[in-house]
Amino acid sequence: MITIKKSNERGATKWDWLESYHSFSFGEYYDPQNIHFGPLRVINDDIVAPGGGFPTHPHQNMEIVTYVLSGALEHKDSTGTHEVIRAGELQKMTAGKGVYHSEFNSSQNNPVHLLQIWILPNKTGLEPSYDQRSWNVEERKNKLLKVASPNLYEDTIFINQDASIYISSLEAEKDVSFTNEEGRGIYLHIISGEVELDNQVYTNGDAIQVTGNELFKLKAKSDAELIVFEVSMNFNK
């Protein structure tokens, strides 16, 4: 089964320093039919104004992934980690039994555009931890590049859940195929560009949800950036 979620159906938060679009219920945006997709709980598409950001606040029992699309984000947390996440880099924080952190645009002149992603972990009370990686465009050009997984032996960011994350940079007229199995799900978020599925064109902020046994092909109508989540649909909430 393939379900399309259009960009304009997302929730929205707009403050003087933040423009944020919510793929799932978050903050004041609540839709009881749109809480999560398997263990995937949050995808917030955030644009943070120069100098703006999220002051120190707590989290626990969540895998928090940040993918910076443009600009740079400064991260500090109570484990002593202090890093700048730049465009093309992926960061994961295991909040586990509890952590405090802040995220600020590290520039006083340019906005930062990022995806903030939350994944429910397979265990509670984990020790907080941090990982950050970068990949260049060539590594993900016209293919799915796995960047996070539950496999400690893969050269990816480790996720404490049966969930994997892929990124892709598709050139115009190139395509990529997806196969989904029963009991699993694929959630594909279009970051930018235009892609075609079944003679319909989708663009920035649109999403494609896949469950059940499905094989489908996505074709780029213009240069496009994608992020794809492959998850178990059977998990303990």
Side-chain angles (χ1 to χ4, degrees), residues 4-197:
I4 304 300
K5 298 179 69 178
K6 297 294 289 181
S7 174
N8 60 9
E9 296 172 351
R10 297 180 295 176
T13 296
K14 294 186 179 182
W15 297 333
D16 57 351
W17 58 270
L18 174 68
E19 182 177 343
S20 181
Y21 297 93
H22 316 305
S23 295
F24 300 99
S25 294
F26 187 88
E28 295 182 0
Y29 165 61
Y30 177 71
D31 177 355
Q33 304 302 314
N34 187 32
I35 303 294
H36 62 93
F37 181 77
L40 180 60
R41 177 61 186 85
V42 167
I43 303 176
N44 286 347
D45 188 348
D46 294 343
I47 298 175
V48 180
F54 304 90
T56 301
H57 59 283
H59 285 287
Q60 64 182 148
N61 297 321
M62 194 67 71
E63 301 288 276
I64 299 175
V65 177
T66 301
Y67 184 27
V68 173
L69 306 175
S70 63
L73 190 73
E74 185 175 8
H75 168 99
K76 294 181 182 179
D77 67 45
S78 54
T79 70
T81 301
H82 182 188
E83 297 285 349
V84 174
I85 315 161
R86 293 177 171 82
E89 294 186 332
L90 206 77
Q91 172 242 53
K92 186 220 63 173
M93 183 178 67
T94 293
K97 62 185 182 182
V99 68
Y100 286 82
H101 80 132
S102 64
E103 310 276 356
F104 275 86
N105 187 342
S106 66
S107 172
Q108 297 298 318
N109 301 305
N110 301 306
V112 57
H113 185 193
L114 63 123
L115 295 180
Q116 181 87 175
I117 298 151
W118 295 4
I119 296 173
L120 295 160
N122 53 21
K123 294 179 182 178
T124 60
L126 292 166
E127 196 67 30
S129 63
Y130 182 94
D131 196 1
Q132 183 173 331
R133 307 279 186 94
S134 63
W135 294 268
N136 61 49
V137 175
E138 289 300 317
E139 292 178 279
R140 62 180 186 266
K141 183 181 289 185
N142 299 324
K143 65 179 180 181
L144 292 172
L145 174 67
K146 186 184 287 189
V147 292
S149 82
N151 188 342
L152 281 167
Y153 301 101
E154 290 185 319
D155 185 22
T156 59
I157 285 177
F158 178 72
I159 300 288
N160 288 286
Q161 181 54 271
D162 186 359
S164 295
I165 302 175
Y166 300 79
I167 55 177
S168 180
S169 295
L170 279 183
E171 295 176 308
E173 302 304 315
K174 298 293 184 179
D175 57 57
V176 62
S177 296
F178 299 82
T179 302
N180 190 62
E181 300 175 356
E182 197 68 42
R184 303 197 68 78
I186 290 174
Y187 190 99
L188 188 154
H189 177 87
I190 301 164
I191 296 171
S192 63
E194 294 183 327
V195 297
E196 182 181 64
L197 172 67

